[in-house]
Structures are given as structure tokens and as C-alpha cells.
Amino acid sequence: MTHGSRRNRPVAGWKFDNSYARLPEVLFVRLYPVPVPAPKVVVFNTPLARFLGLNPDAFEGDEGAAVFSGNRIPEGAEPLAQAYAGHQFGAFTMLGDGRAILLGEQVTPLGERYDIQLKGSGRTPFSRRGDGRAALGPMLREYIISEALHALGIPTTRSLAVAVTGEPVFRETALQGAVLTRTAASHIRVGTFEYAAMRGKPEELRNLADYTIRRHFPELAAAGNPYLGLLGAVMERQASLVARWLQVGFIHGVMNTDNMALSGETIDYGPCAFMDAYDPGTVFSSIDLHGRYAYERQPQIAHWNLARFAETLLPLINPNPPEAVAMATSAVSGFADAFRRHWLAGMRAKLGLVNQEADDRSLVEELLDCMHRHKADFTNTFRDLASGPPLEASLFQSPDFKHWFERWQARLKRQPETREEVGRRMNACNPAVIPRNHRVEEALAAAVERADYSVMEKLLGVLSRPYQEPPEESGYHLPPPPLVQPYRTFCGT
Ligand code: AMP
Ligand code: MG
């Protein structure tokens, strides 16, 4: 690159303010990404870049390749790997960023703060036996599914770019290496608190808790017991988040405590996937042998994770241990109610119910049971109900469904909204398109095997407008053809 073209390069727009790097040093290790030989950006999220205050033109060619692979550290960044612990499938482990580097926090033109993290950026002191790297397929998969959740209006980390590294990673076979640039409200996890609590130094823990309150729940700072308030606020966000997942058929797949962000964002897109036919026991992850993280278990698991979070806060909640336990237990016991409230509100909306009746829960459950018995497509059933049921589908022909349908029609008559208004409201909250597994696989195969990113770009376009009917012939709304094998997902490590 000539000196002249460098000088003419547009200003990138980085505006880092790295508050995490000012926390006690035990919470992280400062280090740089490990350079890669031949980086190239293969996907770039222009709208997200603009939202962050970055100038997409500044990342054309070599500059974007260098920055989004970790070869060049942007001005103002203070790279570090975060320390954390976590319960993985119920067992406590010391973890930390084993293949990620936090560059710092970008302050957006709106004054909001977002972590910029490189995932797949090389070994760190937390890598254990891992290589610190990521394969292209799983990074593209995270890009697609996280952006789909964002477009559905569900809180989530997002994906700014994927760069290939020009270096293979070795899993069962040699795969192309890649780095994903992830943005997040923060990367503070339940596991971050587990790590701080385990060190047994109350001041470190208090420092982290005060920081989390300032960053995500500033209104709690003046509360009587801000740490009990923190527990309640995190619980409320998780209850809302998991309810939102269930309402679109999303299965996170690896809800370990290190994969639960206190901000309330969905984080860690490993084995996650969307369900097609409704079955509450659905599990996609190949390593989830006992269905710990099955679709319908997600609320219980969130509750279990929150109990682990509560345990870390005990010394801050009250200096008297039995009193602290009583206060935390009472707070966490509110999760089930909080979840049910969010879930019922969301399910009412999915069925176009604007007012509330005592029997609404049973109305929703009767429909779900019916869908389960008939293996009805979760997404399309609600969409079909909005426009009046198609007469040919087996679900809509069955006596149990007809019974439910009449009950629902009678229920709708007890609210003032017209049928058209109900249909309009339903279509605004029931997606027409989700990232169907077979379409995601098709996009990944084209990208990974043939370096053809057009299939993925088209899919991303449709997923960015999930409540809009896709062109009929595109087939994006269709469930998969009958599968020989059930769909399986892998952690991608
Ligand atoms: P995950 O299953 O993605 O939540 O990762 C769990 C832990 O394993 C985290 O500490 C990761 O940083 C670490 N990890 C995952 N993959 C690798 C890898 N290839 N190299 C090093 N550490 C990894
Ligand atoms: Mg993780």
C-alpha cells in the first residue's frame, strides 16, 4: 500500500473508552490477538458499523482484513482476555476467554457503549487445551443466527464481521480458520461473578457488582440494597429473554452459566437452532445427551443459573449469612412468576389477544398440545392463524384443532378489535421467516465449500425483515423436507 492511499483513507470512527480495563487486574489478562497469515473479510455488517459510528469505507480491503482478523489493533483499543468461571452442564469449571480478545468499548454516536470482541483470535492463558481458533462455518452460523434474533427484536450480541485467516484449524478434519467480530452490551456473565466470588476477596466482588450496576442498571445505584436489586433486575431480564426465545422456537442449546450475560442479551451461538415442528422436548445439540437444555427446560435452567448468580452475591446482600440466604432465596423464587408473566403476555400477543381473561393460559396450552400431537410447524401455525387457517393442512382438519379454533374465535369476540386488526397485530409479532436449519446449512455450504457468499447474503436479507412475507417462490417460509436423520448441532470448538 502506498503512503498516499493510506493518508487518504477515510477516518474509521473508532471511539474507545475501555472501562473494563480499569477494573481490578485479576478480572482479565492484557494481551494481543495472535496474528494470522492471510486475512480477508468475507462478511461485513454495514448497518451495524454505521450504528456503532464506524465508517464502512474505512474498512475496505487490507485495512478491514487487518482489523477484523486481529492483525492490526485500532487506535484506542486495549486488548484483553476476560477471566471467568462457570457451571457447564451443572459442573463448576474455571474458564475465561480461551479464544477471544476484547478490544474495548466503542462509544456510539448515541452515547451507548458496546464491547468489540474478536472471537477465534488465538491462544490466551485461558485456552487450556484449545487452539484459540475458530472455524469459518460456525462463525458464519453465529453471524446469521445472531443477526436473525436481532431482527426479531430479541436482545442479543451481534456480528460485525467475519474474516478468514488463511490458516487451517484442525478439528475432525482441517477447516478454514476465521475470526468473528462480535459486539455486545457487555461480556459480563454469571460466570464472571462466579469467578470473582470464588476468589474470596469481597472488595473485588463489590467492585465488579458496582461496575455492572453502573453499566447496565444505573437506576439501582441509589436503591436501598443495590445488590439485591441487581439480582432482581438480572432475573427480570432473563425471564423476559427466555420467554422471547420460546415464542420464536429458539433453543439456545448450551445455557451454561458462562453463557448467560447479565445484560440480558442472548450470547454464545454454538449449538443453538430454531425448531420446525413443535415438540417441547426438542434438543439439537449433539453433546446434550440428557436434554438438559431442551426447548421447554430453558426457563428452569435460567432459574437454576440465577440461583448460582444469587450465591455469588450473598456477602454483598447481607453481612449476616443466614439473612443473606433468606433474602436471595426469596428473590430468586420470584423467577417462575416473572417468567410466566412474560410468557403469557407474549403468547397473548401471538394469538391477537389484546385484553386479558383468566382462561388465556389454558387457551394457549390447548393449542400447543394440539400442535404437538399433530407435529405442526411452530412458526407457520401462528402465521396461518393470523390469516384464517388453510383448509388443507392436517392440523386444521382435526377435531381437536376445530374445537380449539372455536374456543379462540369466541374469545376474540370478547374484545373490541376487528378480525382484520387482530390479523394485523398477529403478523406484527409472529415471524414469517426464521433461520430454518436447512436454509442455514445451504448458505454455509455455499460459503465454506465454494466461497459463494451470495446464498448467505440473500438469506440475511430475508431474515432482516422477519415479519414480512417472503416471495412465495423463494421458499424461505417452508419447513424442511422430511429428514432422514434428526438435525444435529455441534459446539463448533
Ligand atoms: P463455549 O462452549 O463456547 O461457551 O466455550 C467454553 C470455554 O471454552 C470458553 O472458555 C472458551 O473460551 C473455551 N474455548 C472454546 N473453544 C476454544 C478453542 N478452540 N480454543 C481455546 N479455548 C476455547
Ligand atoms: Mg461461551
Side-chain angles (χ1 to χ4, degrees):
M1 184 182 292
T2 69
H3 196 72
S5 76
R6 233 195 118 78
R7 204 180 318 116
N8 292 335
R9 181 174 288 287
V11 176
W14 292 112
K15 194 176 166 206
F16 279 105
D17 174 40
N18 308 315
S19 60
Y20 206 86
R22 300 194 284 272
L23 283 172
E25 297 256 346
V26 297
L27 289 171
F28 56 87
V29 175
R30 290 181 194 271
L31 87 162
Y32 281 63
V34 180
V36 301
K40 181 172 177 277
V41 171
V42 289
V43 203
F44 184 72
N45 193 334
T46 302
L48 177 58
R50 292 219 170 87
F51 169 80
L52 292 167
L54 299 174
N55 179 356
D57 298 339
F59 299 105
E60 297 280 339
D62 293 348
E63 177 69 14
V67 168
F68 297 117
S69 63
N71 279 6
R72 183 177 302 148
I73 300 304
E75 202 183 314
E78 295 177 69
L80 58 87
Q82 291 176 321
Y84 52 88
H87 278 83
Q88 297 185 304
F89 289 90
F92 183 80
T93 326
M94 290 302 290
L95 296 161
D97 288 331
R99 56 163 172 173
I101 295 286
L102 176 67
L103 290 179
E105 300 142 38
Q106 168 78 356
V107 179
T108 73
L110 296 173
E112 293 175 321
R113 179 181 296 270
Y114 284 92
D115 276 7
I116 309 287
Q117 194 207 57
L118 303 178
K119 181 168 171 181
S121 51
R123 286 185 55 86
T124 77
F126 306 111
S127 297
R128 298 174 289 169
R129 285 186 304 277
D131 59 1
R133 292 299 185 191
L136 176 59
M139 295 305 99
L140 295 176
R141 198 166 182 282
E142 169 155 352
Y143 189 113
I144 295 170
I145 301 188
S146 63
E147 286 304 302
L149 257 81
H150 170 75
L152 286 164
I154 300 177
T156 177
T157 65
R158 296 190 63 188
S159 301
L160 179 60
V162 175
V164 289
T165 60
E167 203 172 55
V169 297
F170 300 95
R171 300 294 181 255
E172 265 128 55
T173 55
L175 303 168
Q176 297 169 72
V179 174
L180 170 83
T181 303
R182 167 160 83 178
T183 71
S186 85
H187 284 83
I188 306 168
R189 311 146 188 268
V190 169
T192 316
F193 275 73
E194 292 182 275
Y195 167 82
M198 195 216 54
R199 289 181 44 84
K201 306 234 173 89
E203 274 326 295
E204 287 171 12
L205 183 66
R206 186 180 304 273
N207 216 313
L208 176 65
D210 289 342
Y211 174 81
T212 305
I213 289 171
R214 277 198 305 280
R215 190 157 172 186
H216 295 300
F217 309 95
E219 68 285 358
L220 293 177
N225 189 332
Y227 309 111
L228 194 61
L230 176 63
L231 177 57
V234 168
M235 201 172 84
E236 191 66 28
R237 285 196 193 177
Q238 288 300 325
S240 161
L241 179 66
V242 175
R244 300 295 307 275
W245 290 351
L246 295 203
Q247 279 146 17
V248 295
F250 178 75
I251 299 160
H252 181 286
V254 60
M255 289 177 70
N256 297 330
T257 56
D258 52 303
N259 294 333
M260 181 186 272
L262 299 196
S263 64
E265 286 182 342
T266 310
I267 189 170
D268 206 299
Y269 290 82
C272 62
F274 282 71
M275 148 175 93
D276 293 302
Y278 178 64
D279 178 350
T282 304
V283 176
F284 291 115
S285 172
S286 55
I287 61 167
D288 191 0
L289 300 175
H290 304 290
R292 179 179 170 92
Y293 300 136
Y295 173 81
E296 69 181 343
R297 282 187 52 89
Q298 296 182 109
Q300 283 156 267
I301 289 293
H303 193 172
W304 191 89
N305 289 349
L306 287 162
R308 304 291 78 74
F309 179 50
E311 284 163 6
T312 70
L313 294 175
L314 291 176
L316 302 181
I317 288 175
N318 196 303
N320 175 315
E323 271 180 53
V325 170
M327 291 163 82
T329 306
S330 153
V332 174
S333 69
F335 179 82
D337 276 347
F339 170 75
R340 271 197 291 269
R341 183 165 35 80
H342 286 288
W343 182 83
L344 187 56
M347 295 311 289
R348 278 200 177 103
K350 283 178 79 72
L351 287 178
L353 306 182
V354 184
N355 60 6
Q356 302 183 8
E357 284 188 9
D359 269 355
D360 288 346
R361 164 175 295 278
S362 108
L363 181 72
V364 173
E365 282 167 354
E366 185 182 334
L367 171 63
L368 290 175
D369 287 345
C370 193
M371 287 167 64
H372 185 197
R373 276 194 299 281
H374 295 277
K375 299 183 170 57
D377 185 81
F378 184 76
T379 304
N380 291 354
T381 299
F382 288 97
R383 204 67 192 185
D384 289 342
L385 287 174
S387 45
L391 296 170
E392 62 279 12
S394 84
L395 170 70
F396 297 115
Q397 288 301 332
S398 66
D400 52 347
F401 175 78
K402 282 183 180 156
H403 174 267
W404 177 83
F405 190 77
E406 274 158 34
R407 187 178 164 193
W408 179 51
Q409 292 301 304
R411 170 69 180 82
L412 289 177
K413 289 205 182 91
R414 296 195 295 274
Q415 62 180 28
E417 285 70 23
T418 63
R419 198 61 186 79
E420 290 66 46
E421 172 61 11
V422 164
R424 204 187 52 73
R425 283 172 179 259
M426 288 176 70
N427 279 337
C429 72
N430 289 304
V433 262
I434 52 160
R436 302 258 181 199
N437 300 316
H438 64 299
R439 301 307 297 253
V440 173
E441 291 300 327
E442 167 193 69
L444 296 181
V448 172
E449 288 158 24
R450 305 190 296 279
D452 171 6
Y453 286 84
S454 65
V455 187
M456 173 166 166
E457 296 290 350
K458 258 177 72 183
L459 177 63
L460 287 169
V462 176
L463 292 173
S464 72
R465 297 176 298 272
Y467 300 102
Q468 205 167 302
E469 212 65 56
E472 185 62 33
E473 69 285 2
S474 71
Y476 283 113
H477 58 294
L478 295 176
L483 299 171
V484 184
Q485 295 277 325
Y487 186 68
R488 281 280 160 267
T489 58
F490 303 89
C491 269
T493 54

